[in-house]
Amino acid sequence: MSQEMINTDAVYGFGFKEPIRAVILGSRGGVGEAIARALIDAHPLNRALLTSRSLAELPLHSEMISWYALEITSEDQWEIFIPRLKSHLADWGGSLNLVINATGLLHTEGSARAGVEGTQEVQPERSMRAVALKSMESVFAVNTFAVALALKYLSPMFPRRERSLFVSFSARVGSISDNRIGGWYSYRASKAAQNMLIKTAAIELSRSKKECVCVAVHPGTVASALSAPFTKSVKHTIFTPEQSASSLIEVLERLTPERTGECIAWDGATIPA
């Protein structure tokens, strides 16, 4: 499609009025995959670089997307990844304007990380007696440290004057003031720390990128390998990945820079720190 044929008033999804050029971290299965599908379906000019730890049995294939194997906890791999991303952006003809981090680690049972060399077996702790440093380090590596690396390497690539979104999956249990039952020490603490990273980065980004919205989001309880062992006693609604993605996209479409730095639930409500 020629540039002359592009309707500059068109909405390309996620509140954008120009083609989306996205990086989606954690795009194999679950909500990340559902969001990637929605982005592809939204407009033929949208483009995305999707990442996964493994490129075996990829779920999506389209000329609008490219796949890249990335271990998000490795700074060495980030430094290799960024030049390749810049090459894609040059081909796409614009700046990076959307980042979705859909990764997370609650436990290793049944997850892609189980049995991976260097990854400690992880289960959410029911009491302080169950806290183990190696396990906690694994949880923080994915839920906190990787978010810091994503912010460090990707947010500088956002445009200075146009809309951009940095969205990282957090959890309601990361709210300190909303913690009423305890437990899950590593997961709660890693998500609370992630929320602080998002808030701090949002303040810095707002100084030079006025239209940037940097938020943590709670996708709700989603039927997935991550939540499966813990949903038997859940009394609230359990979403399909597609339902969660649809709700999140609706929220993101309405987000303005006034809400940057918040942790936001799937229904648009602010989750307290």
Side-chain angles (χ1 to χ4, degrees):
M1 183 180 293
S2 69
Q3 292 293 320
E4 290 75 21
M5 295 175 63
I6 296 174
N7 179 0
T8 56
D9 292 327
V11 175
Y12 295 82
F14 298 85
F16 285 94
K17 294 185 178 180
E18 64 174 355
I20 295 172
R21 295 169 292 272
V23 169
I24 303 179
L25 306 170
S27 302
R28 287 185 67 218
V31 184
E33 179 185 333
I35 288 177
R37 290 184 185 277
L39 184 144
I40 292 171
D41 292 341
H43 199 280
L45 289 183
N46 289 342
R47 296 291 183 267
L49 185 54
L50 311 182
T51 79
S52 173
R53 297 184 70 252
S54 169
L55 297 185
E57 300 180 5
L58 296 177
L60 293 173
H61 298 277
S62 167
E63 64 180 11
M64 299 165 65
I65 63 173
S66 300
W67 283 92
Y68 190 86
L70 176 65
E71 173 49 74
I72 59 171
T73 63
S74 168
E75 189 153 21
D76 289 343
Q77 289 199 24
W78 275 103
E79 291 180 351
I80 296 171
F81 171 70
I82 291 303
R84 298 189 181 186
L85 171 58
K86 289 180 178 178
S87 177
H88 280 286
L89 292 171
D91 292 339
W92 298 341
S95 301
L96 180 68
N97 54 14
L98 174 64
V99 173
I100 304 285
N101 172 35
T103 65
L105 177 61
L106 173 60
H107 63 97
T108 51
E109 181 181 353
S111 83
R113 292 185 172 271
V116 175
E117 183 178 355
T119 299
Q120 181 73 18
E121 182 179 351
V122 172
Q123 289 295 328
E125 309 94 343
R126 296 181 182 273
S127 71
M128 280 189 288
R129 291 192 303 274
V131 171
L133 181 58
K134 291 295 185 181
S135 176
M136 181 174 277
E137 287 173 346
S138 293
V139 174
F140 267 80
V142 176
N143 296 343
T144 308
F145 305 153
V147 178
L149 292 175
L151 286 164
K152 173 183 176 178
Y153 285 102
L154 297 177
S155 65
M157 304 174 73
F158 285 157
R160 291 183 63 85
R161 295 178 178 83
E162 291 78 33
R163 176 177 176 81
S164 58
L165 290 176
F166 186 101
V167 181
S168 187
F169 282 23
S170 186
R172 188 179 297 276
V173 296
S175 169
I176 295 173
S177 59
D178 192 53
N179 184 357
R180 288 166 171 66
I181 62 173
W184 289 25
Y185 285 84
S186 298
Y187 191 72
R188 286 184 185 275
S190 66
K191 292 297 187 178
Q194 178 188 151
N195 295 347
M196 179 58 80
L197 288 173
I198 293 294
K199 176 65 175 180
T200 305
I203 293 170
E204 180 177 351
L205 289 167
S206 67
R207 296 173 183 145
S208 59
K209 304 175 189 293
K210 303 296 185 183
E211 297 303 313
C212 178
V213 183
C214 181
V215 293
V217 297
H218 169 53
T221 302
V222 181
S224 67
L226 182 142
S227 65
F230 312 101
T231 55
K232 293 180 180 179
S233 60
V234 169
K235 297 180 180 179
H236 55 260
T237 301
I238 299 176
F239 298 118
T240 66
E242 291 73 22
Q243 289 171 328
S244 175
S246 177
S247 296
L248 287 175
I249 292 169
E250 185 177 340
V251 169
L252 296 177
E253 286 178 342
R254 301 194 304 267
L255 285 187
T256 62
E258 285 71 27
R259 297 197 70 182
T260 193
E262 292 187 17
C263 182
I264 301 171
W266 59 270
D267 59 358
T270 299
I271 296 175

